PDB file of all heavy atoms in Angstrom:
ATOM      1  N   SER A  20      30.058 -37.767 -60.979  1.00 39.00           N
ATOM      2  CA  SER A  20      31.290 -37.618 -60.201  1.00 39.00           C
ATOM      3  C   SER A  20      32.181 -36.588 -60.846  1.00 39.00           C
ATOM      4  O   SER A  20      32.459 -36.676 -62.042  1.00 39.00           O
ATOM      5  CB  SER A  20      32.029 -38.956 -60.123  1.00 39.00           C
ATOM      6  OG  SER A  20      33.283 -38.790 -59.514  1.00 39.00           O
ATOM      7  N   PRO A  21      32.639 -35.568 -60.103  1.00 41.00           N
ATOM      8  CA  PRO A  21      33.583 -34.629 -60.685  1.00 41.00           C
ATOM      9  C   PRO A  21      34.884 -35.336 -61.008  1.00 41.00           C
ATOM     10  O   PRO A  21      35.191 -36.389 -60.460  1.00 41.00           O
ATOM     11  CB  PRO A  21      33.781 -33.587 -59.576  1.00 41.00           C
ATOM     12  CG  PRO A  21      33.361 -34.261 -58.327  1.00 41.00           C
ATOM     13  CD  PRO A  21      32.334 -35.287 -58.710  1.00 41.00           C
ATOM     14  N   ALA A  22      35.635 -34.753 -61.930  1.00 37.00           N
ATOM     15  CA  ALA A  22      36.911 -35.343 -62.281  1.00 37.00           C
ATOM     16  C   ALA A  22      37.761 -35.493 -61.026  1.00 37.00           C
ATOM     17  O   ALA A  22      37.771 -34.626 -60.155  1.00 37.00           O
ATOM     18  CB  ALA A  22      37.629 -34.465 -63.309  1.00 37.00           C
ATOM     19  N   ARG A  23      38.478 -36.626 -60.950  1.00 34.00           N
ATOM     20  CA  ARG A  23      39.326 -36.844 -59.783  1.00 34.00           C
ATOM     21  C   ARG A  23      40.300 -35.682 -59.642  1.00 34.00           C
ATOM     22  O   ARG A  23      40.939 -35.264 -60.584  1.00 34.00           O
ATOM     23  CB  ARG A  23      40.094 -38.153 -59.952  1.00 34.00           C
ATOM     24  CG  ARG A  23      40.951 -38.509 -58.766  1.00 34.00           C
ATOM     25  CD  ARG A  23      40.142 -38.808 -57.504  1.00 34.00           C
ATOM     26  NE  ARG A  23      39.330 -39.982 -57.682  1.00 34.00           N
ATOM     27  CZ  ARG A  23      38.180 -40.149 -57.076  1.00 34.00           C
ATOM     28  NH1 ARG A  23      37.696 -39.212 -56.292  1.00 34.00           N
ATOM     29  NH2 ARG A  23      37.474 -41.237 -57.264  1.00 34.00           N
ATOM     30  N   ARG A  24      40.373 -35.112 -58.484  1.00 40.00           N
ATOM     31  CA  ARG A  24      41.120 -33.883 -58.299  1.00 40.00           C
ATOM     32  C   ARG A  24      42.240 -34.061 -57.301  1.00 40.00           C
ATOM     33  O   ARG A  24      42.182 -34.890 -56.413  1.00 40.00           O
ATOM     34  CB  ARG A  24      40.200 -32.782 -57.788  1.00 40.00           C
ATOM     35  CG  ARG A  24      39.437 -33.203 -56.525  1.00 40.00           C
ATOM     36  CD  ARG A  24      38.894 -32.036 -55.763  1.00 40.00           C
ATOM     37  NE  ARG A  24      38.057 -32.466 -54.673  1.00 40.00           N
ATOM     38  CZ  ARG A  24      38.516 -32.959 -53.528  1.00 40.00           C
ATOM     39  NH1 ARG A  24      39.794 -33.094 -53.352  1.00 40.00           N
ATOM     40  NH2 ARG A  24      37.688 -33.342 -52.575  1.00 40.00           N
ATOM     41  N   GLU A  25      43.244 -33.279 -57.484  1.00 44.00           N
ATOM     42  CA  GLU A  25      44.258 -33.124 -56.456  1.00 44.00           C
ATOM     43  C   GLU A  25      43.758 -32.072 -55.478  1.00 44.00           C
ATOM     44  O   GLU A  25      42.989 -31.177 -55.853  1.00 44.00           O
ATOM     45  CB  GLU A  25      45.586 -32.663 -57.065  1.00 44.00           C
ATOM     46  CG  GLU A  25      46.194 -33.663 -58.039  1.00 44.00           C
ATOM     47  CD  GLU A  25      46.636 -34.941 -57.364  1.00 44.00           C
ATOM     48  OE1 GLU A  25      47.004 -34.874 -56.172  1.00 44.00           O
ATOM     49  OE2 GLU A  25      46.605 -35.994 -58.016  1.00 44.00           O
ATOM     50  N   ALA A  26      44.164 -32.143 -54.221  1.00 44.00           N
ATOM     51  CA  ALA A  26      43.763 -31.126 -53.249  1.00 44.00           C
ATOM     52  C   ALA A  26      44.269 -29.768 -53.717  1.00 44.00           C
ATOM     53  O   ALA A  26      45.404 -29.653 -54.176  1.00 44.00           O
ATOM     54  CB  ALA A  26      44.333 -31.451 -51.878  1.00 44.00           C
ATOM     55  N   PRO A  27      43.433 -28.728 -53.671  1.00 52.00           N
ATOM     56  CA  PRO A  27      43.873 -27.405 -54.107  1.00 52.00           C
ATOM     57  C   PRO A  27      45.124 -26.965 -53.358  1.00 52.00           C
ATOM     58  O   PRO A  27      45.289 -27.241 -52.179  1.00 52.00           O
ATOM     59  CB  PRO A  27      42.674 -26.515 -53.754  1.00 52.00           C
ATOM     60  CG  PRO A  27      41.509 -27.442 -53.686  1.00 52.00           C
ATOM     61  CD  PRO A  27      42.057 -28.737 -53.188  1.00 52.00           C
ATOM     62  N   ALA A  28      46.001 -26.304 -54.091  1.00 59.00           N
ATOM     63  CA  ALA A  28      47.234 -25.817 -53.464  1.00 59.00           C
ATOM     64  C   ALA A  28      46.925 -24.537 -52.715  1.00 59.00           C
ATOM     65  O   ALA A  28      46.984 -23.446 -53.269  1.00 59.00           O
ATOM     66  CB  ALA A  28      48.301 -25.577 -54.528  1.00 59.00           C
ATOM     67  N   CYS A  29      46.541 -24.675 -51.465  1.00 67.00           N
ATOM     68  CA  CYS A  29      46.171 -23.521 -50.649  1.00 67.00           C
ATOM     69  C   CYS A  29      47.398 -23.033 -49.898  1.00 67.00           C
ATOM     70  O   CYS A  29      47.897 -23.718 -49.003  1.00 67.00           O
ATOM     71  CB  CYS A  29      45.072 -23.892 -49.653  1.00 67.00           C
ATOM     72  SG  CYS A  29      43.544 -24.402 -50.442  1.00 67.00           S
ATOM     73  N   ILE A  30      47.889 -21.892 -50.265  1.00 56.00           N
ATOM     74  CA  ILE A  30      49.055 -21.316 -49.622  1.00 56.00           C
ATOM     75  C   ILE A  30      48.595 -20.182 -48.722  1.00 56.00           C
ATOM     76  O   ILE A  30      47.860 -19.293 -49.154  1.00 56.00           O
ATOM     77  CB  ILE A  30      50.059 -20.792 -50.667  1.00 56.00           C
ATOM     78  CG1 ILE A  30      50.497 -21.953 -51.582  1.00 56.00           C
ATOM     79  CG2 ILE A  30      51.250 -20.151 -49.989  1.00 56.00           C
ATOM     80  CD1 ILE A  30      51.381 -21.522 -52.716  1.00 56.00           C
ATOM     81  N   MET A  31      49.009 -20.222 -47.459  1.00 57.00           N
ATOM     82  CA  MET A  31      48.574 -19.207 -46.513  1.00 57.00           C
ATOM     83  C   MET A  31      49.056 -17.823 -46.936  1.00 57.00           C
ATOM     84  O   MET A  31      50.251 -17.594 -47.099  1.00 57.00           O
ATOM     85  CB  MET A  31      49.105 -19.526 -45.107  1.00 57.00           C
ATOM     86  CG  MET A  31      48.801 -18.450 -44.077  1.00 57.00           C
ATOM     87  SD  MET A  31      47.033 -18.228 -43.814  1.00 57.00           S
ATOM     88  CE  MET A  31      46.700 -19.613 -42.730  1.00 57.00           C
ATOM     89  N   ALA A  32      48.098 -16.933 -47.142  1.00 54.00           N
ATOM     90  CA  ALA A  32      48.434 -15.544 -47.453  1.00 54.00           C
ATOM     91  C   ALA A  32      48.875 -14.854 -46.169  1.00 54.00           C
ATOM     92  O   ALA A  32      48.603 -15.332 -45.068  1.00 54.00           O
ATOM     93  CB  ALA A  32      47.213 -14.838 -48.044  1.00 54.00           C
ATOM     94  N   PRO A  33      49.589 -13.731 -46.296  1.00 50.00           N
ATOM     95  CA  PRO A  33      49.932 -12.977 -45.086  1.00 50.00           C
ATOM     96  C   PRO A  33      48.684 -12.681 -44.267  1.00 50.00           C
ATOM     97  O   PRO A  33      47.660 -12.255 -44.811  1.00 50.00           O
ATOM     98  CB  PRO A  33      50.554 -11.694 -45.646  1.00 50.00           C
ATOM     99  CG  PRO A  33      51.043 -12.071 -47.003  1.00 50.00           C
ATOM    100  CD  PRO A  33      50.068 -13.097 -47.518  1.00 50.00           C
ATOM    101  N   VAL A  34      48.738 -12.938 -42.969  1.00 59.00           N
ATOM    102  CA  VAL A  34      47.559 -12.778 -42.122  1.00 59.00           C
ATOM    103  C   VAL A  34      47.242 -11.296 -41.956  1.00 59.00           C
ATOM    104  O   VAL A  34      48.031 -10.544 -41.394  1.00 59.00           O
ATOM    105  CB  VAL A  34      47.768 -13.443 -40.753  1.00 59.00           C
ATOM    106  CG1 VAL A  34      46.568 -13.192 -39.856  1.00 59.00           C
ATOM    107  CG2 VAL A  34      48.003 -14.933 -40.920  1.00 59.00           C
ATOM    108  N   GLU A  35      46.097 -10.893 -42.476  1.00 69.00           N
ATOM    109  CA  GLU A  35      45.658  -9.509 -42.369  1.00 69.00           C
ATOM    110  C   GLU A  35      44.422  -9.399 -41.494  1.00 69.00           C
ATOM    111  O   GLU A  35      43.992  -8.303 -41.171  1.00 69.00           O
ATOM    112  CB  GLU A  35      45.345  -8.959 -43.767  1.00 69.00           C
ATOM    113  CG  GLU A  35      46.519  -9.042 -44.736  1.00 69.00           C
ATOM    114  CD  GLU A  35      46.114  -8.671 -46.148  1.00 69.00           C
ATOM    115  OE1 GLU A  35      45.000  -8.140 -46.315  1.00 69.00           O
ATOM    116  OE2 GLU A  35      46.893  -8.912 -47.069  1.00 69.00           O
ATOM    117  N   MET A  36      43.846 -10.536 -41.150  1.00 79.00           N
ATOM    118  CA  MET A  36      42.589 -10.566 -40.427  1.00 79.00           C
ATOM    119  C   MET A  36      42.691 -11.540 -39.257  1.00 79.00           C
ATOM    120  O   MET A  36      43.497 -12.468 -39.280  1.00 79.00           O
ATOM    121  CB  MET A  36      41.453 -11.042 -41.351  1.00 79.00           C
ATOM    122  CG  MET A  36      41.295 -10.250 -42.622  1.00 79.00           C
ATOM    123  SD  MET A  36      40.565  -8.628 -42.298  1.00 79.00           S
ATOM    124  CE  MET A  36      40.744  -7.881 -43.934  1.00 79.00           C
ATOM    125  N   ASP A  37      41.850 -11.333 -38.245  1.00 94.00           N
ATOM    126  CA  ASP A  37      41.737 -12.317 -37.177  1.00 94.00           C
ATOM    127  C   ASP A  37      40.933 -13.519 -37.643  1.00 94.00           C
ATOM    128  O   ASP A  37      41.241 -14.663 -37.300  1.00 94.00           O
ATOM    129  CB  ASP A  37      41.059 -11.704 -35.954  1.00 94.00           C
ATOM    130  CG  ASP A  37      41.903 -10.615 -35.303  1.00 94.00           C
ATOM    131  OD1 ASP A  37      43.145 -10.724 -35.337  1.00 94.00           O
ATOM    132  OD2 ASP A  37      41.312  -9.650 -34.780  1.00 94.00           O
ATOM    133  N   ILE A  38      39.875 -13.249 -38.417  1.00 97.00           N
ATOM    134  CA  ILE A  38      38.949 -14.314 -38.797  1.00 97.00           C
ATOM    135  C   ILE A  38      38.364 -14.021 -40.178  1.00 97.00           C
ATOM    136  O   ILE A  38      38.091 -12.862 -40.512  1.00 97.00           O
ATOM    137  CB  ILE A  38      37.846 -14.459 -37.723  1.00 97.00           C
ATOM    138  CG1 ILE A  38      37.001 -15.707 -37.952  1.00 97.00           C
ATOM    139  CG2 ILE A  38      36.971 -13.221 -37.641  1.00 97.00           C
ATOM    140  CD1 ILE A  38      36.135 -16.067 -36.738  1.00 97.00           C
ATOM    141  N   SER A  39      38.195 -15.074 -40.973  1.00 97.00           N
ATOM    142  CA  SER A  39      37.593 -14.960 -42.307  1.00 97.00           C
ATOM    143  C   SER A  39      36.218 -15.615 -42.264  1.00 97.00           C
ATOM    144  O   SER A  39      36.100 -16.798 -41.916  1.00 97.00           O
ATOM    145  CB  SER A  39      38.457 -15.649 -43.358  1.00 97.00           C
ATOM    146  OG  SER A  39      39.723 -15.038 -43.485  1.00 97.00           O
ATOM    147  N   VAL A  40      35.176 -14.850 -42.612  1.00 98.00           N
ATOM    148  CA  VAL A  40      33.806 -15.371 -42.665  1.00 98.00           C
ATOM    149  C   VAL A  40      33.522 -15.799 -44.097  1.00 98.00           C
ATOM    150  O   VAL A  40      33.716 -15.019 -45.037  1.00 98.00           O
ATOM    151  CB  VAL A  40      32.789 -14.307 -42.217  1.00 98.00           C
ATOM    152  CG1 VAL A  40      31.373 -14.858 -42.282  1.00 98.00           C
ATOM    153  CG2 VAL A  40      33.119 -13.818 -40.812  1.00 98.00           C
ATOM    154  N   ILE A  41      33.061 -17.031 -44.263  1.00 98.00           N
ATOM    155  CA  ILE A  41      32.826 -17.589 -45.594  1.00 98.00           C
ATOM    156  C   ILE A  41      31.368 -18.013 -45.715  1.00 98.00           C
ATOM    157  O   ILE A  41      30.849 -18.743 -44.862  1.00 98.00           O
ATOM    158  CB  ILE A  41      33.740 -18.798 -45.857  1.00 98.00           C
ATOM    159  CG1 ILE A  41      35.210 -18.387 -45.727  1.00 98.00           C
ATOM    160  CG2 ILE A  41      33.472 -19.400 -47.235  1.00 98.00           C
ATOM    161  CD1 ILE A  41      36.175 -19.564 -45.718  1.00 98.00           C
ATOM    162  N   THR A  42      30.717 -17.554 -46.775  1.00 97.00           N
ATOM    163  CA  THR A  42      29.341 -17.936 -47.068  1.00 97.00           C
ATOM    164  C   THR A  42      29.266 -18.408 -48.510  1.00 97.00           C
ATOM    165  O   THR A  42      29.820 -17.767 -49.409  1.00 97.00           O
ATOM    166  CB  THR A  42      28.372 -16.756 -46.868  1.00 97.00           C
ATOM    167  OG1 THR A  42      28.380 -16.363 -45.494  1.00 97.00           O
ATOM    168  CG2 THR A  42      26.960 -17.136 -47.264  1.00 97.00           C
ATOM    169  N   VAL A  43      28.583 -19.515 -48.720  1.00 96.00           N
ATOM    170  CA  VAL A  43      28.343 -20.029 -50.072  1.00 96.00           C
ATOM    171  C   VAL A  43      26.885 -19.779 -50.405  1.00 96.00           C
ATOM    172  O   VAL A  43      25.994 -19.988 -49.571  1.00 96.00           O
ATOM    173  CB  VAL A  43      28.662 -21.539 -50.141  1.00 96.00           C
ATOM    174  CG1 VAL A  43      28.300 -22.103 -51.513  1.00 96.00           C
ATOM    175  CG2 VAL A  43      30.140 -21.779 -49.840  1.00 96.00           C
TER     176      VAL A  43
END
């Protein structure tokens, strides 16, 4: 089990794109 985590502080960056494609 990973260490108990707080949800990442995701702050919306200025929108420069219509869509972000994410691949892992």
Side-chain angles (χ1 to χ4, degrees):
S20 173
R23 183 65 65 210
R24 54 161 173 76
E25 297 293 330
C29 297
I30 301 175
M31 175 63 79
V34 176
E35 303 172 12
M36 305 287 172
D37 294 327
I38 190 166
S39 297
V40 180
I41 302 169
T42 297
V43 175

